Amino acid sequence: MRNGKQMFGTNGVRGVIGETMTPALVLKIGAALGSMRRGRIAVGRDTRTSGEALTHALKAGLLMTGCDVVDMGVLPTPALQYIIKTNRFDGGAMITASHNPPEYNGVKIIEADGTEMSDEEIIRLEGRFFAEEFDVVDWDGVGSESAAPDRLEEYIEAVVAHFPEGIGRGMTVVVDPGSGPAALTTPIILSRMGCRVHTINGRLDGTFPGRMPEPTPEGLQPLSEMVLATGADFGVAHDGDADRAVFVDTKGRYIEENYEFGLIEDYVCGRNSNGLVVTPVATSRLIRDIAEKHGCTVDYTPVGSIYVARRMIELIGKGRKVSFGGEGNGGLIYPDHQFCRDGGMTAAMMVAVLASHNGRKLSDIVDELPAYHLVKEKYHTADPAALVRTVEEAFAGETIEKIDGIKIVRENAWALVRASGTEPMIRIMIEAKDPAVADAMYREIMMVATGRRAGA
């Protein structure tokens, strides 16, 4: 794994239930967390069928190390993070596998400030896990457990309070929570903002009968059809734990996530100009274009929302003005709200974006954004790190950035080549305004990677 982690990835640990993900494993994660953060710990879960069993295991590990556990029940990850941050919990954990299929589940560890645990602390937690160094308490020191599902209302109120009362009046929106926990939040948030809300896949169901937890253009076809049938202003869908949101426009077209980022960035930075926009190196140049329009500067991080969130906190701590942040996957971060991806806030923010355009259709606004062509490919190899070095050497005469993997930067295009943190392969991303330029750059890289022309 990257960054010295053995078990945890960028956003927690995940696996197939009964294979690599078991209650025994989660109990040990809970015991390791409780040993490091003894105190009051909040836990929550998404709707997966295995969630209840894993939550009980997690709580057992925490209780045996003397922690007092507050079970928030089923809720979005950003809701749990908000509750932890504002109620001064000592930490927390979310049972979720985010966008993975229903047979998966996992654990995200959350710190007292609402951010996901840093790589350095995760390595410490893994050390305790593998060595089974748990600070198990005596019989009279075991923690207590309570439930507080009503705390979800705090999150809903916090999102709604960010916007003028009735800002969504006259708008019609279709929400697709994908049978996940956003069914408990996003329709309510948008209704309280004044929107007329239709919902599909709105019943909590861990088998995800309507679509898979990853909101793909293909899986969101029913959402697009509902938007067209109802004449809605837009449709919004969430992943399995609702830390991301993606959209379809007035014409039922899927809005690629970098364009979603750009739309909301334009609104946020228009009201908070001359600051920093923090985003990973894999994000479109569109984000830089819009930042510059508002006198903002882009600050690039490694790929992963935790790196974006912690960089935002670091910059603010140094007295820098941070306007906005996020990833080009529908995971956006609002520094005046909390430092994590928040799908509920993003859904609400799209209402504000449309309100600011005085009745113009979302499809027309999207069509006015600068067009970029993006190539995303994977190439399997036994030694991904060595192949990245080979590509770097081949392009040594060009401008290269090494924030995460290598990024080859040209005036009319860029390419990112990085080793996967979980599989034996490299990921290749190339972007240019001209598709032919992007495709040609891809062929250049593949010549180096394979020793022959791609497709030959």
Side-chain angles (χ1 to χ4, degrees):
M1 296 290 291
R2 285 194 305 145
N3 302 313
K5 295 181 289 188
Q6 300 178 61
M7 183 170 64
F8 279 72
T10 304
N11 295 111
V13 59
R14 298 175 193 165
V16 175
I17 292 298
E19 296 179 12
T20 57
M21 182 56 57
T22 64
L25 180 142
V26 175
L27 185 145
K28 289 172 63 178
I29 291 173
L33 174 60
S35 299
M36 291 173 62
R37 300 286 186 268
R38 184 178 295 178
R40 201 165 59 111
I41 305 295
V43 302
R45 61 185 174 92
D46 67 17
T47 58
R48 292 166 192 273
T49 57
S50 57
E52 199 163 3
L54 296 189
T55 301
H56 283 301
L58 176 72
K59 291 189 290 189
L62 291 165
L63 292 167
M64 71 189 241
T65 54
C67 292
D68 293 328
V69 179
V70 182
D71 191 339
M72 303 295 169
V74 173
L75 79 173
T77 295
L80 180 64
Q81 290 174 288
Y82 181 83
I83 291 165
I84 288 170
K85 180 191 75 151
T86 55
N87 288 273
R88 298 188 178 181
F89 281 87
D90 295 290
M94 179 77 180
I95 300 294
T96 180
S98 188
H99 62 272
N100 287 94
E103 64 270 23
Y104 284 78
N105 214 332
V107 186
K108 288 183 180 180
I109 307 296
I110 302 164
E111 293 283 28
D113 63 359
T115 64
E116 291 175 44
M117 185 173 271
S118 69
D119 288 343
E120 295 76 18
E121 290 299 285
I122 286 292
I123 290 168
R124 284 187 58 219
L125 186 147
E126 287 186 345
R128 282 184 175 268
F129 175 95
F130 289 115
E132 298 194 0
E133 292 179 358
F134 308 134
D135 298 336
V136 179
V137 296
D138 293 333
W139 67 272
D140 56 352
V142 174
S144 63
E145 179 187 349
S146 59
D150 54 313
R151 285 278 176 82
L152 187 56
E153 176 64 22
E154 297 174 17
Y155 167 75
I156 293 170
E157 286 183 354
V159 174
V160 174
H162 261 74
F163 304 94
E165 187 175 352
I167 191 173
R169 201 165 288 127
M171 290 187 202
T172 299
V173 181
V174 184
V175 179
D176 179 358
S179 302
L184 300 173
T185 52
T186 297
I188 297 171
I189 289 167
L190 299 182
S191 293
R192 290 189 188 175
M193 294 174 73
C195 299
R196 182 186 183 197
V197 179
H198 300 285
T199 305
I200 62 171
N201 297 318
R203 183 169 62 88
L204 302 180
D205 190 334
T207 66
F208 305 103
R211 65 167 174 85
M212 288 292 98
E214 176 69 9
T216 63
E218 297 75 25
L220 298 185
Q221 196 58 39
L223 173 63
S224 296
E225 292 168 1
M226 179 73 87
V227 167
L228 294 172
T230 59
D233 294 278
F234 66 86
V236 59
H238 295 287
D239 61 335
D241 67 338
D243 62 354
R244 295 187 289 131
V246 299
F247 297 90
V248 298
D249 67 15
T250 330
K251 296 180 179 178
R253 301 176 304 183
Y254 184 89
I255 301 175
E256 198 275 327
E257 291 95 324
N258 283 289
Y259 289 87
E260 167 194 339
F261 191 150
L263 282 168
I264 295 176
E265 176 194 17
D266 192 37
Y267 175 83
V268 172
C269 292
R271 287 149 184 78
N272 197 14
S273 59
N274 302 309
L276 292 165
V277 175
V278 184
T279 193
V281 291
T283 308
S284 172
R285 273 187 179 169
L286 172 67
I287 305 313
R288 186 193 65 183
D289 294 346
I290 293 172
E292 290 174 351
K293 171 184 169 183
H294 298 289
C296 292
T297 304
V298 177
D299 188 278
Y300 290 106
T301 73
V303 175
S305 62
I306 182 59
Y307 306 118
V308 177
R310 293 198 173 276
R311 178 63 174 162
M312 293 170 82
I313 293 169
E314 176 191 348
L315 289 166
I316 291 169
K318 292 178 178 177
R320 305 290 299 279
K321 179 180 180 181
V322 176
S323 300
F324 192 43
E327 301 176 287
N329 63 1
L332 304 179
I333 301 173
Y334 305 87
D336 59 348
H337 173 54
Q338 61 175 343
F339 292 96
C340 66
R341 302 186 298 192
D342 194 326
M345 178 60 85
T346 298
M349 197 62 72
M350 189 60 80
V351 174
V353 169
L354 273 183
S356 72
H357 281 272
N358 301 316
R360 295 186 64 218
K361 293 185 179 299
L362 180 57
S363 53
D364 294 335
I365 302 166
V366 172
D367 287 343
E368 290 176 355
L369 292 172
Y372 282 92
H373 179 70
L374 184 66
V375 175
K376 285 185 180 182
E377 294 290 346
K378 302 172 183 176
Y379 181 73
H380 288 267
T381 175
D383 192 343
L387 187 51
V388 171
R389 288 193 297 271
T390 299
V391 174
E392 180 184 356
E393 290 167 5
F395 290 87
E398 303 200 38
T399 301
I400 290 180
E401 298 172 355
K402 298 175 70 174
I403 297 170
D404 189 348
I406 63 157
K407 187 173 184 178
I408 307 158
V409 182
R410 295 175 177 173
E411 188 175 345
N412 61 349
W414 60 263
L416 179 68
V417 181
R418 52 188 286 268
S420 168
T422 55
E423 299 175 69
M425 67 180 186
I426 59 170
R427 300 182 186 274
I428 304 167
M429 290 183 67
I430 301 164
E431 184 184 67
K433 285 192 171 182
D434 184 343
V437 171
D439 293 341
M441 195 171 185
Y442 172 67
R443 289 194 297 272
E444 283 183 65
I445 292 169
M446 290 307 296
M447 266 207 316
V448 174
T450 66
R452 58 181 174 81
R453 289 196 175 275

